[in-house]
Amino acid sequence: MDEVHGTAAATDEDGRPYANGFQPAVYDWDGWTCEDDCTVCAAGADCADCRACTDFAFPYPPHWARTWQEGEPERGIEAFGGPGGMATGRELVDDGGDWVLIEQNRDAAATARAAGHWVVEADIRTLDPRHPALRCTRRVHGSPPCQTLSDGGKRSAWNSQEISELQSIMWQASEAFGFLQVDDLCSLYGGPHHYYGDVIDGMEDHPDADGWGELCGGGLLPPCMTPAAFREWAASVVSDERTALMAEMLIWPMCLVQIGAPLVSITMEQSANLLKQTPALAEAIQSEITSVEGFGWAWCSWQIADAADFGAATHRERAWMVATRYEQPRYADHVDGQAAAREMFAHVLKKTGKLPDWMPELDRRIEPYQGRPALPAVTVAQALNLPATWWADTRGKRTINPKTGRPNGGGSFPLNRVGPCVTAPWYGIKFRPADVPQGEGTVGISLPDLGVLVGFRRDYPWTYIPARAGAKGTRNIAQMIADPVSPFMGAAISAAVQGKDWYKPVSGYQAALYRLHRKATPNGQPKAEEQLTLFGKQTLLRTLFAPRAAAPAADWKPAV
């Protein structure tokens, strides 16, 4: 299953040789499949017990060596799967999926694996999406790293020159991976015509220059770049290679379809700044998906959505893309695109007086509520069963601004409202009554409850693999909790393209997670026994983190 790098002249499916040494960037696969060629499985063995299937499918599940059959769970690839936030939400609306998560961070990968998911622990750039075991993939989701886009990072992806160059490269993904429809392919065989039918300079005297020869004819260009070459090209124009990981959201879908995968949906989550500050990248992805010169899919929408609007106890505003191949997704909603653009780019209009030169079409979006009542807004006090009059300090003691009466530098908020977006330093948060001075609170937060604020169940198996003897990894786990998709948003977006409606299962999940059915005590004061549960000292990897039965681990890492 190596790429073709032979020295013999390559030919097309009709046996015609390509000119000038051109070789399509395709996988050399002999067509072996489990159902046709495996004598072990033919005798009744499971693919997981078959060495041939395991080796063929590696690092993916062994049963992916078999061709998917009608009635089986849909297969999906989740790029940058993290500790499993999107997967947790997806399971609320579709517990019959067959997904593989790809994640490089070892703690996040271990956490997702402990939560029951099949995880390939690897840098996604070391994987080739043309692997024949992926030929039956129907769904793709991705949450590329957002550090170069987010306000909390260095914002290197805000560089307009870099974004312009990366946008131009991403525009050419359809040509690189074999989806560009052209008028004339004859130049590939030494003929006189360019891709769009005009005569190549210097070939005006060719006998077919003004007519139709046996080599002439339109069609799709064959793929001309490997995923590795395209990744290298994308990374060459940015100062931080993480920005170039956005290209994976075109590389994987296009290569999967190239190998025959029946892909029907692509979803994506990113920092809201992808739309607010670098809309050209969103435009490049959308245009490649919907353009007739690209995928030509039926739908691709972009929007910003906040997890707090869908049930979470803390805000988590993110950019979301939903793309479907044949028809509109569930919850499709059409809006005034110009009005949406003016609202989203109000900061640009104020500064420049015009909208960005490049931005995605914003005249469509996903509206999961569909006119139904919004799920209850949950305050931090409700979520953690704390008095509504208390405050939280996310930083140490600071001086008070005499004009506002608030601590300088922020970092304090009342618990009687939906909380700000959780960040890693929140593991050191201190809660206090309103009459206790800022910075003098003594009640801390447990890591399980930190996860609850994002939308994870209390027994979610957060896992840390010690980097050195005695390391507890408190900050590492807090960072894992701060980074992923909120399960609430994961459910709403997943339901738009697969599974059942999100409203009822997520409503029940919210009520159970935040114990909305319990009766309030006077002044919101929790009972004494509840306080002991909330604030007793907890070991980092306490046995209360009882994971579900885990799927077989794919402990594979790329060779160094």
Side-chain angles (χ1 to χ4, degrees), residues 79-80 103-104 124-125 142-150 157 240-246 248 268-271:
F80 315 102
E103 174 55 44
Q104 181 176 15
I124 195 170
R125 293 166 294 188
S143 297
C146 65
Q147 293 93 331
T148 64
L149 286 163
S150 68
D240 190 318
E241 62 182 9
R242 291 175 296 181
T243 304
L245 289 172
M246 288 288 294
E248 298 296 328
M268 174 182 172
E269 177 259 3
Q270 244 291 357
S271 164

Side-chain angles (χ1 to χ4, degrees), residues 156 159-170 230-241 243-244 281:
S156 61
N159 182 292
S160 59
Q161 181 62 35
E162 286 188 9
I163 294 304
S164 177
E165 293 182 16
L166 183 56
Q167 177 193 31
S168 296
I169 290 173
M170 292 170 68
F230 195 84
R231 288 161 173 159
E232 183 178 359
W233 189 22
S236 70
V237 300
V238 294
S239 58
D240 190 318
E241 62 182 9
T243 304
L281 291 185

Side-chain angles (χ1 to χ4, degrees), residues 209-437:
D210 298 319
W212 185 272
E214 63 178 7
L215 298 179
C216 298
L220 290 174
L221 286 176
C224 59
M225 294 188 76
T226 64
F230 195 84
R231 288 161 173 159
E232 183 178 359
W233 189 22
S236 70
V237 300
V238 294
S239 58
D240 190 318
E241 62 182 9
R242 291 175 296 181
T243 304
L245 289 172
M246 288 288 294
E248 298 296 328
M249 296 311 301
L250 290 174
I251 293 172
W252 278 78
M254 288 190 166
C255 287
L256 288 171
V257 173
Q258 180 199 113
I259 64 172
L263 196 67
V264 293
S265 72
I266 310 166
T267 54
M268 174 182 172
E269 177 259 3
Q270 244 291 357
S271 164
N273 283 333
L274 173 65
L275 285 177
K276 293 180 178 180
Q277 304 296 341
T278 60
L281 291 185
E283 187 279 336
I285 295 175
Q286 186 185 67
S287 65
E288 287 296 280
I289 290 175
T290 60
S291 170
V292 294
E293 294 183 347
F295 256 2
W297 279 23
W299 176 282
C300 183
S301 60
W302 279 100
Q303 68 195 85
I304 291 176
D306 187 348
D309 294 333
F310 294 87
T314 52
H315 292 286
R316 184 157 298 217
E317 192 178 68
R318 296 289 189 267
W320 284 92
M321 184 197 79
V322 174
T324 48
R325 186 171 189 170
Y326 298 117
E327 56 188 15
Q328 292 187 161
R330 179 188 276 152
Y331 317 134
D333 189 28
H334 295 269
V335 298
D336 183 337
Q338 280 297 309
R342 288 192 296 271
E343 179 181 356
M344 181 170 295
F345 301 114
H347 61 293
V348 178
L349 282 169
K350 183 177 181 180
K351 183 177 180 180
T352 68
K354 64 177 184 178
L355 294 171
D357 293 332
W358 296 102
M359 60 182 179
E361 295 180 0
L362 299 174
D363 59 348
R364 65 197 72 173
R365 64 180 60 192
I366 303 301
E367 177 43 70
Y369 277 111
Q370 294 294 295
R372 295 171 289 195
L375 294 183
V378 178
T379 68
V380 174
Q382 288 175 301
L384 301 184
N385 202 22
L386 290 170
T389 56
W390 280 24
W391 280 67
D393 299 326
T394 60
R395 305 179 187 178
K397 188 172 183 177
R398 284 164 280 111
T399 57
I400 302 299
N401 185 322
K403 294 183 179 180
T404 65
R406 296 180 179 180
N408 288 310
S412 298
F413 61 89
L415 304 192
N416 63 350
R417 63 185 64 173
V418 175
C421 183
V422 171
T423 60
W426 277 33
Y427 72 88
I429 206 168
K430 296 296 183 182
F431 297 113
R432 59 181 170 84
D435 58 353
V436 171

